[in-house]
Amino acid sequence: MAEPRVPGGRESELELACGEVIDTHDDLHMGIRALDCACGETHAVVLGAHPLSRFVPEFLVDVLTETVEPADDHDEFTTAHLMGVVMEEFPEEVAVADAADDGAVGFSMAWITDFDSRRLHEVVVELIVELMEHAVSHSEDDDVMSEFEAQMLEFDVEAFVDQYRAERNFDDRHDSAV
């Protein structure tokens, strides 16, 4: 995972990909999912406490946590792993704050992307599909791979994200899984 970028001497300052600096104490909180930035853009915010079901339905979360074996000390695939994959694909577009030792905030990790929440949602779904495709490619059953490929040809990421976001209330900090 990338080292947090701290521009000044204060540990609570974080430089975003756009170049603006925020204060993790003042600008981030447990209910935040988007940050209206001084640069004029709205950036997606993901906190370590946000569940994977923010992006995909519970049944898929169950599949991911049961099948993906993290290469770290965690027992299961988490939001931190997912955001690690996003950072791997977009290293210059994600700022990360490690607040694990900061008792002044209610989160341990925060990721702020240069793109908005909707675009992040699309990116996450695309990366999960790639992860699933990679897993299926290791199957010794050609029929399974063919069926998966056929289903993915019909799968529309944008339509999925539209529907999923419509079924969840992303404006309320108490949104529930579907």
Side-chain angles (χ1 to χ4, degrees):
M1 190 168 290
E3 287 294 312
R5 292 184 273 168
V6 180
R10 294 181 18 188
E11 289 184 26
S12 63
E13 288 184 344
L14 176 66
E15 182 178 355
L16 304 180
C18 66
E20 295 293 332
V21 176
I22 64 166
D23 188 302
T24 58
H25 291 177
D26 298 334
D27 298 317
L28 303 179
H29 54 79
M30 289 301 292
I32 195 168
R33 297 213 189 312
L35 176 72
D36 291 328
C37 185
C39 75
E41 299 294 325
T42 300
H43 304 301
V45 177
V46 178
L47 302 179
H50 290 169
L52 289 170
S53 59
R54 172 178 173 179
F55 301 106
V56 293
E58 286 294 330
F59 80 87
L60 189 52
V61 171
D62 291 343
V63 170
L64 290 169
T65 57
E66 289 174 18
T67 58
V68 178
E69 293 182 26
D72 59 16
D73 295 339
H74 289 87
D75 293 332
E76 62 185 32
F77 190 74
T78 66
T79 299
H81 297 105
L82 181 60
M83 290 309 297
V85 174
V86 172
M87 288 176 60
E88 207 171 281
E89 289 294 315
F90 300 95
E92 300 300 318
E93 296 184 54
V94 181
V96 60
D98 182 346
D101 295 328
D102 188 347
V105 296
F107 54 86
S108 59
M109 296 293 294
W111 298 267
I112 298 93
T113 67
D114 201 35
F115 30 82
D116 67 16
S117 292
R118 184 165 193 324
R119 178 64 187 133
L120 173 62
H121 200 156
E122 290 174 350
V123 165
V124 163
V125 171
E126 290 166 358
L127 292 172
I128 289 173
V129 167
E130 286 179 23
L131 180 66
M132 291 168 50
E133 183 176 30
H134 178 74
V136 169
S137 73
H138 289 286
S139 169
E140 295 178 11
D141 188 339
D142 290 338
D143 292 337
V144 169
M145 186 60 183
S146 295
E147 170 138 2
F148 180 81
E149 288 175 349
Q151 289 176 357
M152 288 304 101
L153 288 174
E154 294 179 20
F155 182 68
D156 183 334
V157 171
E158 289 183 21
F160 169 83
V161 169
D162 285 341
Q163 180 180 354
Y164 195 73
R165 292 175 76 81
E167 291 176 11
R168 301 246 348 231
N169 180 1
F170 285 101
D171 293 329
D172 182 351
R173 68 176 62 194
H174 303 291
D175 66 302
S176 59
V178 290

